[in-house]
Amino acid sequence: MREPTVVAADATGAADYFQTYSVVGLLAVVGVLFVAVAFGAGRLLRPVVPTPEKLLTYECGVDPVGEGWAHTQVRYYVYAFLYVIFAVDSMFLFPWATVFAAPGYGATTLVEMFVFLGFLAVGLLYAYKKGVLAWT
């Protein structure tokens, strides 16, 4: 009877595998160095002459008038956040629609989709009850 032969792991395969990642790492280091050199050169080459006029805050070339504090409305951010939530929701509905048509996945996909939509409906109801959706 013959003895079974043990085949050693292919060392060249592992070396090729890590060599591809070393190329990616080298490119990342070169990119970081490129940005660091560009910022360093800009700092060394720019003129630095601070004057009170240069340190004055302005917007669109107009000198400021009054206080620098301005009250912004949070409701615009809330509407933007709600839009993002429902945009993500619609992004999930299209893959579900394609899987729903595949044989054997219809009922499971339909249940998952309604569970997800239920969570979104509860979130929308919570926002409505808190008065977030009231435009005042």
Side-chain angles (χ1 to χ4, degrees):
M1 190 184 279
R2 273 183 17 174
E3 292 287 324
T5 58
V6 177
V7 179
D10 187 11
T12 60
D16 288 340
Y17 178 77
F18 288 115
Q19 183 181 6
T20 57
Y21 280 109
S22 65
V23 170
V24 171
L26 180 66
L27 283 175
V29 168
V30 167
V32 168
L33 284 176
F34 182 75
V35 171
V37 167
F39 276 112
R43 179 172 279 249
L44 290 174
L45 296 176
R46 72 178 180 212
V48 180
V49 185
T51 61
E53 290 83 16
K54 287 184 180 180
L55 298 176
L56 183 67
T57 305
Y58 70 94
E59 182 176 349
C60 300
V62 179
D63 290 336
V65 177
E67 295 183 26
W69 177 257
H71 183 71
T72 58
Q73 297 292 328
V74 175
R75 66 176 176 240
Y76 301 116
Y77 297 110
V78 172
Y79 282 104
F81 187 65
L82 288 172
Y83 169 76
V84 168
I85 289 173
F86 287 105
V88 169
D89 171 39
S90 66
M91 184 178 71
F92 280 123
L93 289 178
F94 288 110
W96 275 332
T98 57
V99 172
F100 181 71
Y105 291 104
T108 305
T109 305
L110 189 64
V111 169
E112 288 176 355
M113 184 169 33
F114 278 114
V115 167
F116 182 72
L117 290 175
F119 280 124
L120 286 177
V122 168
L124 185 62
L125 182 66
Y126 176 77
Y128 177 75
K129 291 285 187 184
K130 283 293 206 178
V132 172
L133 301 177
W135 188 274
T136 57

